[in-house]
Amino acid sequence: ERFVVGVNQCTKILESAIQRRNELQIDNSQNSLQKSGNESRRSASSINTRLSPVPTLILLSRDVRPATILAHISIYAHILKIPVAILPGKSSVDLGKVVGIRSVAVAMFLPSFGIKDLSEKEEEQLAISDENRSGCNTEWKDCHQDVDSFIDFVKSKIPKMG
C-alpha cells in the first residue's frame, strides 16, 4: 500500500517513524561510543524501516473541523521533514469521493517498494508465480512511477520553508 487514509492510520505510521528515528539515533550514538556494531540490533532496525516506511508526502484537508484534530500531523511531519500539502476548499469531501469514502481529513503517500523487495511470506500472500513475475514487475513499476511522478509534482509546488 502506498496511499494511507485517515487520522488514526496516518498517526500510527508517523509515530512509528519517529520512534524508529529515535532508536536509530540512539543506536548511532552507542555505536560511535563503543565502535563495535551490534549486528542483530542493526538488522532489526532495517527490517522495521522496510515494514513501515517514512511517508514521502502528506495531504491535509483544510475544511476539517475542529482543526485541532490534525494539529499533531503537521508537527510530526515537521519533525520528520515530510512535505505537507494543505488542500483548499471542500477537499475532504472531494478526496473522499476519489478514494470511495465519505470524506478524508488526512492522507499520505508511502515510498515505493518493488516486488523484488518483498519477503517470501509476502510473495506467498500475493501468490506471485515465476511466470507472472515479469508482467507483474512491469505493471508494478509503471504504477509506482506514475505515483512517484505525482508526488514529485506536488512536492515541487510546496513552498520551501526555512
Side-chain angles (χ1 to χ4, degrees):
E1 295 179 13
R2 298 235 11 229
F3 189 66
V4 180
V5 175
V7 177
N8 291 338
Q9 294 293 29
C10 291
T11 299
K12 287 177 189 177
I13 289 172
L14 291 169
E15 286 175 344
S16 67
I18 289 172
Q19 181 180 1
R20 249 188 347 274
R21 183 181 136 245
N22 292 340
E23 288 171 357
L24 289 174
Q25 286 175 345
I26 290 169
D27 284 349
N28 288 339
S29 64
Q30 288 175 349
N31 286 341
S32 65
L33 291 174
Q34 296 175 351
K35 294 202 177 190
S36 63
N38 184 344
E39 291 301 320
S40 63
R41 176 178 278 177
R42 194 176 303 148
S43 64
S45 295
S46 66
I47 290 169
N48 287 341
T49 300
R50 194 180 75 74
L51 294 178
S52 55
V54 176
T56 56
L57 175 67
I58 297 175
L59 305 175
L60 293 177
S61 297
R62 182 176 294 233
D63 61 326
V64 174
R65 298 289 180 255
T68 55
I69 292 172
L70 301 177
H72 65 288
I73 301 287
S74 58
I75 293 169
Y76 289 162
H78 179 75
I79 290 169
L80 294 168
K81 296 181 171 94
I82 302 168
V84 176
I86 299 175
L87 305 175
K90 297 285 184 188
S91 57
S92 64
V93 175
D94 294 339
L95 191 55
K97 286 179 186 176
V98 170
V99 296
I101 58 177
R102 188 171 50 99
S103 65
V104 173
V106 61
M108 63 177 53
F109 289 93
L110 302 177
S112 65
F113 292 106
I115 287 180
K116 65 182 184 310
D117 297 326
L118 296 177
S119 70
E120 288 180 24
K121 185 175 183 178
E122 291 167 326
E123 281 189 37
E124 288 173 13
Q125 289 174 342
L126 291 174
I128 299 170
S129 63
D130 288 336
E131 56 270 4
N132 290 335
R133 180 178 299 277
S134 64
C136 207
N137 272 335
T138 303
E139 290 176 24
W140 186 275
K141 185 177 179 183
D142 290 344
C143 177
H144 285 285
Q145 284 176 342
D146 292 344
V147 172
D148 290 336
S149 175
F150 172 75
I151 291 169
D152 290 340
F153 171 76
V154 173
K155 282 180 169 180
S156 73
K157 300 302 178 188
I158 299 173
K160 303 287 185 229
M161 297 182 76

